[in-house]
Amino acid sequence: MSLLVTGGAGFIGSNFVHTWLAGSDELLVNLDKLTYAGNLGNLQALAQDTRHVFVHGDIGDRQLVEALLQQHRPRAVLHFAAESHVDRSIHGPLDFIQTNVVGTCQLLESVRAYWSGLSPDAQQSFRFLHVSTDEVYGSLEPQAPAFKETNLYEPNSPYAASKAASDHLVRAWHHTYGLPVLTTNCSNNYGPFHFPEKLIPLVLHNALAGKPLPIYGDGMQIRDWLYVQDHCRAIARVLEAGRPGETYNVGGWNEKPNIEVVRTLCSLLDELQPRTDGQSYAEQITYVKDRAGHDRRYAIDASKINHELGWRPQETFETGLRKTVQWYLDNQDWVTAVTSGHYRQWVDLQYGG
Ligand code: NAD
Ligand code: DAU
């Protein structure tokens, strides 16, 4: 028995690999291209672990993926690999189309070829689990109900559009070819190994470096935050008991305006690692130009996965954020390693130095 995970050197993928291997002896094959967002340092604790096989490669490489499938004969493929940052998709959408749309399609074709050759029993129990996002649903009005699985797809950024396209491909491979797929659409994650281009780790990194904490626009955009290990547990549960062809929304019932998130991070840092001048880190908050086409509000209605599969988050925003801040304080070597080189070029492009 084995699993093939794509994108397992990224933020959520690496958390999934750790969470999964903490409770299973099944072989886990981890295929990752190691883009700027992929980092073997996230998997360092597994360096000597024979249950984890890392393969450096692209999901779009049919020859490689088909050879891996034949060699390891996984009972499931969990597809995390993607270009994932909205701001980067605004600067350069084509990488997003290449990996998220074309790459997902190539992967589906490789998996379909493998799956078609399985015995009827193995075909029935096989799963392709596609990890997607709430951003496919677009932006909510202030009083609108949270996103349900039945909401229309209204993606607004190149990233969201590429993920929406990938969701449609996954759906079509089920409907047309019978591939037993599952799709999860999750809200904003936070936690260990979060790359500091995203709001929470960027703010922690800048705060400790004495740099401005950039708030886009008025800072009143709302996101629904979920601790990453709760997301990983949801994925494991959907893999175990989700119904093929179904989609499951995953979220934390934690809607917060960005400015509130940043102020809470500043308070936690004030408590755990106070500034030497006695001032609050909140002094570093700086309002900057808004993101183009910035979605105002996301919120997930996770009642389907709760009622059907019994999943609900274990962390509150308060407990999860405290753990996260402590993790960043305890892992400054990791932060230093991922914020060298190309990271600086990105910061210059996005924030003007
Ligand atoms: P990430 O950017 O941290 O990691 C992506 C990983 O995919 C990296 O390790 C990268 O090297 C790898 N990768 C990229 N292109 C590849 C390719 N062509 N072939 C093989 N590997 C490739 O992303 P993340 O935040 O961990 O997100 C993982 C998945 O979860 C994505 O599909 C994303 O859309 C989805 N998601 C993310 C969030 C979030 O808050 N971060 C929320 C909901 C859904
Ligand atoms: O909703 C799920 C999505 O969450 C995932 O699909 C994406 O992969 C993930 O990146 C995340 O997208 P967001 O755009 O919501 O995350 P980000 O951390 O980039 O931004 C969170 C909010 O903070 C958003 O409203 C933009 C704002 N922001 C972000 C940055 C980087 C700022 O105000 N300043 C910043 O410097």
Side-chain angles (χ1 to χ4, degrees), residues 5 68 82 92 107 118 135-136 148 163 176 222 229 239 260 332 337:
V5 165
L68 281 177
L107 179 66
L118 296 177
E135 300 205 10
V136 299
K148 292 178 95 69
K163 290 297 290 187
T176 304
I222 291 172
Q229 278 149 20
L239 177 66
E260 189 183 321
Q332 283 296 302

Side-chain angles (χ1 to χ4, degrees), residues 6-13 31-39 57-60 79-85 99 131-134 159 163 186-189 194-195 197-198 231:
T6 73
F11 164 47
I12 304 174
L31 172 66
D32 197 297
K33 190 178 169 183
L34 296 180
T35 67
Y36 77 92
N39 179 5
D58 193 314
I59 52 167
H79 179 32
F80 294 87
E83 290 292 337
S84 70
H85 190 33
T99 284
V131 180
S132 192
T133 171
D134 59 358
Y159 162 69
K163 290 297 290 187
C186 188
S187 61
N188 285 63
N189 286 215
H194 205 181
F195 192 75
E197 63 184 354
K198 310 279 169 68
H231 184 193

Side-chain angles (χ1 to χ4, degrees), residues 12 83-87 132-135 159 163 186-189 194 196-203 206 213-217 219 221-225 258 262 288 290-291 294-296 298 346 350-351:
I12 304 174
E83 290 292 337
S84 70
H85 190 33
V86 173
D87 293 321
S132 192
T133 171
D134 59 358
E135 300 205 10
Y159 162 69
K163 290 297 290 187
C186 188
S187 61
N188 285 63
N189 286 215
H194 205 181
E197 63 184 354
K198 310 279 169 68
L199 179 70
I200 287 179
L202 180 98
V203 162
N206 283 13
L213 312 181
I215 308 287
Y216 295 164
Q221 302 82 7
I222 291 172
R223 297 291 182 267
D224 180 354
W225 294 95
N258 293 335
V262 174
V288 299
D290 207 352
R291 172 184 279 175
H294 199 168
D295 282 341
R296 203 69 192 160
Y298 304 143
W346 165 250
Q350 175 67 6
Y351 301 97

